[in-house]
Each structure stands twice: as C-alpha cells, then as structure tokens.
Amino acid sequence: MFPTPPDSESRHVVLVDDDEAVRLSTALLLRANGVPVSSYANAEDALAAAEPIDAACLLLDYVLPDMDGFELLARLRADGVAAPALLLTGRHAPGLDLEAKRVGFETILHKPTAPRRLVACVAASMQNRDGDPKN
C-alpha cells in the first residue's frame, strides 16, 4: 500500500486520539503496513513533542479533551508543521466536513473507518507530502 518504504523518521504519522482503543488499533494497523507512528491521547502532549514537525501525515481526532482537532491543526500549522492532515470523527454534524476542508484537512474519516480506507488515505497523504505529481 505504501509505495516508498519508510526509511526515516520524517515518514512517520502523528496520531492524536483520546479513545485508547481507536488510538492503539490505528497505530497497530499503520505499523503493520510499515509506517512508524507517534501517538498521543491529547493535543497538549502532541504539541509538546518534537515529532509533529517532521511528520509525513497528521491523523487528528475532532473531539479531544483539551481542544478540538481544528484548533490543534491551527496550532501545529503555527508551529511550522506542514504535513497533510486527516480528520477522524465520530460526529456527523451538518457542515462539519466542509468546515474541516476549510481549515485545512484534506480528508475526513468518519468513525468507524474501514481499515483499508484508513490505510489508503494515509498512504495518499504521505505521497502528497513526498510531492507525488499524481496527487
């Protein structure tokens, strides 16, 4: 699924989700597909870590205990993190997808997300980060 094997820490995914089961299973799924993952249960821990600056992809939950995924993305962007961002959400509120696109999420994944779709979306985002002209 991932065309270029991850050969450096810059190819890792930063995952932020407060739901432990989702966080652990998503990290396991991505690692099983050869992608290193740095995972966090809340936004502040992710912001305090050094990993996001070189991430190949951000996978952010919409509802977090300390701020929402929109605010987290804005703060990461302000810190110079340019990685493509995917939003994970269990909410199906009117306008949420449009607002997510407006604030900079390239893909919105509604929970529960099929594992194949999640892996495919992350792979596509990582290709975008690497400058793949097809994306």
Side-chain angles (χ1 to χ4, degrees):
M1 182 65 63
F2 293 92
T4 307
D7 55 4
S8 73
E9 285 304 303
S10 67
R11 303 246 344 125
H12 76 283
V13 169
V14 170
L15 167 64
V16 184
D17 197 312
D18 62 320
D19 183 321
E20 184 176 18
V22 171
R23 189 175 65 257
L24 294 175
S25 63
T26 301
L28 182 64
L29 174 66
L30 293 173
R31 287 182 183 122
N33 281 276
V35 178
V37 178
S38 300
S39 63
Y40 305 94
N42 61 65
E44 287 301 327
D45 287 348
L47 289 167
E51 286 90 354
I53 196 74
D54 292 323
C57 178
L58 304 171
L59 192 53
L60 310 178
D61 190 10
Y62 176 61
V63 177
L64 295 165
D66 46 359
M67 68 183 73
D68 67 32
F70 292 1
E71 184 180 349
L72 175 56
L73 181 60
R75 293 196 42 200
L76 288 166
R77 294 291 189 242
D79 287 345
V81 178
L86 287 71
L87 182 70
L88 284 170
T89 184
R91 297 224 171 152
H92 299 276
L96 180 65
D97 288 13
L98 287 174
E99 182 65 11
K101 292 281 188 182
R102 188 189 69 72
V103 300
F105 286 96
E106 68 176 38
T107 302
I108 296 86
L109 299 168
H110 292 276
K111 297 176 187 177
T113 300
R116 272 192 150 148
R117 182 168 187 324
L118 189 139
V119 169
C121 289
V122 169
S125 289
M126 292 175 80
Q127 285 179 316
N128 288 345
R129 168 82 191 278
D130 293 338
D132 187 328
K134 293 183 288 185
N135 291 308

